[in-house]
Amino acid sequence: MNQNNKLPRTIELLAPAKNLEQGIIAIDHGADAVYIGANEFGARQAAGNSIEDIAELAKYAHKFGARVYVTVNTIVYEHELANAKQLLRRIVKADVDAILVQDMAVVEMMREIASEPEMQGQRMPELHASTQTDNRSVEKATWLTSVGFSRVVLARELSLDEIREVHKAVPHTELEVFVHGALCVSYSGACYASHHCFGRSANRGECAQFCRLAFDLKDSRGDTIRRASHLLSLKDMKQLDRLEDIIEAGATSLKIEGRLKDAAYVKNVVAAYSQQLDEIIEDNPGKYRRSSWGKAEYTFIPNLAKTFNRGFTHYFLDGRRDDISSFDTPKAMGEYVGYVKEIRRGSFNVAGTAMFANGDGLCFFTPDHKLHGFRVNRVENNRLFPLSMPEELKAGMALYRNNDMVFERAMESKTAERKLTLDMTIGVDCGKIVLEAIDETGRKAFATLDEPLQEAQKPQSENIIRQLEKLGNTMFRPGNTRLNGGVASLFIPSSKLAAMRREVIAQIEEQPIGMGGNEDVQKKVYASKENNIVNKRFIEAEKITAANVANHRAEAFYEEHGVRHAAAAFELTDGARSGAKTYGTPHANTPLMTCRYCLRYAMGFCVKRGGKQPIWKEPLFLESADGRQVRLTFNCAKCQMEVYATD
């Protein structure tokens, strides 16, 4: 107990799982939960998985009390409702712990599934409001709580103060906060640029990364202000040094982005954040605890600079900043390793302390801000011989390593092992030798040796402890092993001790770890809609931004919960699907992107915040290399930038 006589607050490290293998890797490296996509209706279409693999992942995660969340967080078209409901049934039977939702039709279908006869006795998953539901306000979080969501995944753009405000308004709602990974320039769920330009909807898991393209910035006179720059591309988020602040602000779950990343990324990032979280908990005894059990031990030292990143930023955690974008490149730069000291024909040396290996990938920026990369073919001390010497490379240029072969090779092997601590007590009770075992989750087991007691010629403590602690390839590591009741003076054959050890381990492994909270979930998430409270303040203030209504069930859900003007899905109102029936309320001139990020501010021309007076004539336009053009509007009243189509 802490000084306020309260139970420790549970904190979760949530990791991405591209597939079953990477989900297991995330759990082994310290994740308390993973999120994974099924084969349909996930916001990363390229990261779909079979229900069988998801069930296998849940089975593995539950060994440690870790959780599995399935992303069903796209909008669902009318003709897909039946398929979506069937998928949801199969996900429920896979014994997962939560489903991430964007389309409110999913909520209605899950409530129906929970009442079906075949689901009676089935553990029902929680419902989490995906960041795709555009969760950037107290009012939105309050409304989502009122309609039954147990968790809200907050927009990446929120500051610490804003997280605190949401937590204060809905103190019993779990808040999931992004702490690491790629950043979308638009509020999630409010980005339609990819669909408009390429027919690939971000709300359908098909984002074409329009924001990573290079653009010319032009004003209304046609003057070019900046050429071929990645003006909408942001750096990656890294909050490793701010985790405690985020937790104190009210976060329940710390989310790592990256369901399309490779296994090395998952290993490195999860290990780094798990170790940091353990340190925070150790420094705050009785205040916090991890939401799952077991501790990972690593064969490597995590280093976030070693895996894919576009440079790092705290984003808006402390308010608006001018260092969040990456105009020069959307690609991974990697870590700074020194500068080019001297070039000879076919080789060069580096001023710095970094060690290099054959096969390393290096890159540099030319004076015109273009990123060039090359592969190191051979290393002799600090002299590097590229496979092909870059003509643009000059003495004095900074070098970055975006592929570290030594680190990558280390990541290819087994890099972590996660085990539960097992305490054992052996003693004599009523003339019998009794072994009691209890693991860190509280599961207990007993084994009895019912044979005549034999006095040993010499103390047996060392042998008894050694035999009991031979836990080998089991999921346990030895904790405290105690000898009571004079058992150390008895002769117990090693084979008998091993048999008792195996018996208690088998008993404990058969006992499920309680995943907890299901009764409350049943009452809250699957309650009848008549019991839900409609938040009038939200309806009046927000009109459900980015509602993305794509079917009659979602439309009915909003209406039944007091929302009369839920926005129709852009995908149904855009020209690409003209003629399709529209659900919800169409809105004219919908922004393709709504961004807290502001290009005017990033370039130093926000007069409101002390910047220079703009030298251009607005409106401004972004024009891509293939001639696509969008218009920028600066909504200073809301302190946001909006991107509009021009055709």
Side-chain angles (χ1 to χ4, degrees):
M1 297 282 184
N2 60 24
Q3 60 183 358
N4 295 320
N5 203 33
K6 292 181 179 179
L7 292 172
R9 187 153 69 86
T10 300
I11 306 298
E12 168 189 282
L13 179 62
L14 176 59
K18 181 178 182 179
N19 50 39
L20 169 61
E21 177 188 6
Q22 291 194 18
I24 291 173
I25 285 171
I27 298 296
D28 285 346
H29 285 73
D32 299 299
V34 295
Y35 59 102
I36 187 170
N39 54 5
E40 292 182 276
F41 308 113
R44 291 290 183 273
Q45 191 181 64
N49 295 274
S50 70
I51 299 300
E52 291 74 20
D53 279 358
I54 291 172
E56 187 67 25
L57 178 58
K59 183 178 179 181
Y60 185 82
H62 292 168
K63 290 181 179 180
F64 301 97
R67 295 173 177 254
V68 173
Y69 308 146
V70 179
T71 58
V72 187
N73 58 341
T74 67
I75 56 173
V76 181
Y77 293 146
E78 185 73 16
H79 69 277
E80 297 171 326
L81 287 172
N83 285 344
K85 192 170 185 178
Q86 184 58 34
L87 176 67
L88 290 168
R89 286 193 188 96
R90 297 180 66 209
I91 291 172
V92 170
K93 291 180 180 179
D95 198 31
V96 303
D97 302 283
I99 295 175
L100 279 83
V101 178
Q102 176 183 190
D103 196 309
M104 295 302 150
V106 173
V107 180
E108 291 290 86
M109 289 189 286
M110 284 297 293
R111 287 175 176 161
E112 292 172 355
I113 290 169
S115 65
E116 293 174 353
E118 65 178 292
M119 292 298 176
Q120 300 311 302
Q122 171 69 49
R123 191 173 74 100
M124 293 299 295
E126 300 175 12
L127 298 183
H128 295 176
S130 168
T131 189
Q132 292 296 120
T133 54
D134 190 17
N135 309 322
R136 48 178 143 143
S137 69
V138 166
E139 291 80 13
K140 186 64 170 286
T142 304
W143 185 82
L144 289 166
T145 298
S146 77
V147 299
F149 286 98
S150 60
R151 177 180 294 189
V152 174
V153 186
L154 296 179
R156 294 168 175 84
E157 290 82 358
L158 296 197
S159 67
L160 281 173
D161 287 341
E162 289 168 321
I163 296 170
R164 287 190 194 97
E165 289 175 6
V166 174
H167 177 58
K168 184 178 179 180
V170 286
H172 302 298
T173 300
E174 295 180 354
L175 301 182
E176 187 173 297
V177 176
F178 283 89
V179 295
H180 193 90
L183 290 167
C184 300
V185 72
S186 175
Y187 285 108
S188 293
C191 182
Y192 312 109
S194 180
H195 181 273
H196 179 76
C197 294
F198 306 109
R200 293 173 53 181
S201 169
N203 284 314
R204 297 278 295 169
E206 302 170 331
C207 177
Q209 296 197 313
F210 175 81
C211 58
R212 302 298 181 188
L213 298 178
F215 299 98
D216 289 343
L217 178 63
K218 297 183 176 182
D219 70 2
S220 61
R221 296 173 296 209
D223 294 337
T224 300
I225 301 164
R226 185 160 182 146
R227 294 186 183 278
S229 296
H230 301 271
L231 299 171
L232 298 179
S233 184
L234 304 184
K235 296 178 181 177
D236 288 356
M237 178 186 284
K238 185 183 82 169
Q239 309 288 22
L240 187 67
D241 59 335
R242 304 300 301 279
L243 289 191
E244 189 165 1
D245 294 334
I246 294 170
I247 293 168
E248 288 181 350
T252 300
S253 178
L254 309 171
K255 186 170 193 171
I256 297 167
E257 184 277 339
R259 275 196 293 136
L260 298 181
K261 298 294 196 301
D262 60 17
Y265 176 94
V266 173
K267 290 180 176 184
N268 190 27
V269 178
V270 171
Y273 278 85
S274 184
Q275 288 183 337
Q276 184 70 12
L277 183 52
D278 283 343
E279 288 183 17
I280 292 169
I281 291 172
E282 187 176 339
D283 291 342
N284 293 272
K287 190 173 182 180
Y288 308 119
R289 75 167 182 86
R290 298 292 290 265
S291 64
S292 66
W293 306 96
K295 190 173 180 63
E297 293 183 353
Y298 309 100
T299 63
F300 71 105
I301 298 174
N303 184 342
L304 295 178
K306 298 286 188 183
T307 42
F308 185 98
N309 70 85
R310 301 175 177 90
F312 291 121
T313 175
H314 286 134
Y315 206 28
F316 289 100
L317 195 67
D318 301 305
R320 190 169 292 280
R321 303 172 61 96
D322 59 3
D323 64 345
I324 65 176
S325 53
S326 179
F327 287 178
D328 292 337
T329 181
K331 298 179 181 178
M333 289 169 47
E335 58 181 335
Y336 173 74
V337 291
Y339 66 89
V340 178
K341 188 175 181 181
E342 175 257 349
I343 298 177
R344 295 181 197 164
R345 185 177 180 182
S347 70
F348 64 95
N349 60 7
V350 180
T353 59
M355 302 293 290
F356 298 93
N358 298 347
D360 277 357
L362 301 179
C363 57
F364 62 94
F365 284 102
T366 58
D368 60 351
H369 304 286
K370 303 300 181 185
L371 185 68
H372 289 260
F374 62 95
R375 184 76 64 180
V376 175
N377 189 47
R378 189 171 84 255
V379 177
E380 294 181 5
N381 297 318
N382 70 335
R383 181 158 288 276
L384 309 183
F385 294 80
L387 188 62
S388 177
M389 189 69 182
E391 294 181 5
E392 302 88 348
L393 189 66
K394 308 295 180 186
M397 284 185 169
L399 279 176
Y400 301 87
R401 176 163 50 195
N402 53 14
N403 189 34
D404 186 324
M405 288 303 297
V406 172
F407 190 78
E408 289 296 321
R409 289 192 193 103
M411 292 294 99
E412 290 173 359
S413 60
K414 184 175 181 178
T415 49
E417 188 170 51
R418 181 171 178 171
K419 295 196 172 189
L420 300 170
T421 301
L422 187 68
D423 293 336
M424 290 177 281
T425 301
I426 189 168
V428 179
D429 186 12
C430 299
K432 299 178 182 179
I433 296 172
V434 178
L435 175 63
E436 177 186 3
I438 179 169
D439 74 358
E440 63 183 273
T441 75
R443 296 179 297 178
K444 291 183 179 181
F446 298 88
T448 301
L449 182 60
D450 190 6
E451 294 186 3
L453 304 181
Q454 300 180 48
E455 290 290 330
Q457 295 181 354
K458 60 180 181 178
Q460 295 293 297
S461 300
E462 289 186 10
N463 183 60
I464 292 173
I465 292 172
R466 182 170 59 251
Q467 295 302 325
L468 292 180
E469 292 187 347
K470 285 183 177 180
L471 298 176
N473 293 325
T474 69
M475 64 182 296
F476 302 100
R477 66 166 56 91
N480 296 318
T481 303
R482 302 179 182 88
L483 280 61
N484 292 338
V487 75
S489 65
L490 301 177
F491 172 72
I492 310 172
S494 295
S495 61
K496 300 294 184 181
L497 290 168
M500 296 175 77
R501 181 193 69 230
R502 289 193 294 268
E503 183 178 343
V504 294
I505 288 174
Q507 289 180 32
I508 287 178
E509 287 180 336
E510 288 176 358
Q511 301 173 41
I513 295 176
M515 301 307 294
N518 195 54
E519 276 190 22
D520 290 338
V521 169
Q522 289 280 9
K523 292 176 182 176
K524 180 179 180 182
V525 180
Y526 299 106
S528 66
K529 31 193 189 212
E530 288 78 12
N531 294 331
N532 293 322
I533 301 168
V534 175
N535 185 342
K536 298 292 186 183
R537 180 184 167 205
F538 171 78
I539 297 165
E540 294 167 1
E542 299 273 333
K543 304 298 183 187
I544 304 287
T545 55
N548 299 320
V549 178
N551 58 71
H552 83 279
R553 302 208 63 171
E555 182 178 49
F557 182 93
Y558 284 113
E559 289 182 355
E560 289 168 2
H561 291 83
V563 181
R564 304 289 180 244
H565 303 287
F570 181 90
E571 291 78 2
L572 298 184
T573 58
D574 192 40
R577 285 183 61 87
S578 59
K581 179 173 173 55
T582 298
Y583 301 90
T585 304
H587 290 270
N589 202 25
T590 302
L592 297 181
M593 290 181 172
T594 302
C595 318
R596 176 166 277 190
Y597 167 75
C598 175
L599 185 56
R600 184 196 280 173
Y601 179 86
M603 295 176 64
F605 291 98
C606 176
V607 177
K608 182 178 179 180
R609 295 177 179 269
K612 297 176 288 186
Q613 188 69 33
I615 56 175
W616 53 72
K617 181 174 176 57
E618 295 186 4
L620 299 181
F621 299 87
L622 296 178
E623 187 173 295
S624 62
D626 62 1
R628 299 177 192 273
Q629 191 178 79
V630 293
R631 172 172 54 87
L632 304 181
T633 294
F634 301 98
N635 189 336
C636 296
K638 293 185 177 181
C639 207
Q640 67 187 26
M641 180 178 73
E642 296 160 357
V643 180
Y644 288 89
T646 58
D647 52 8

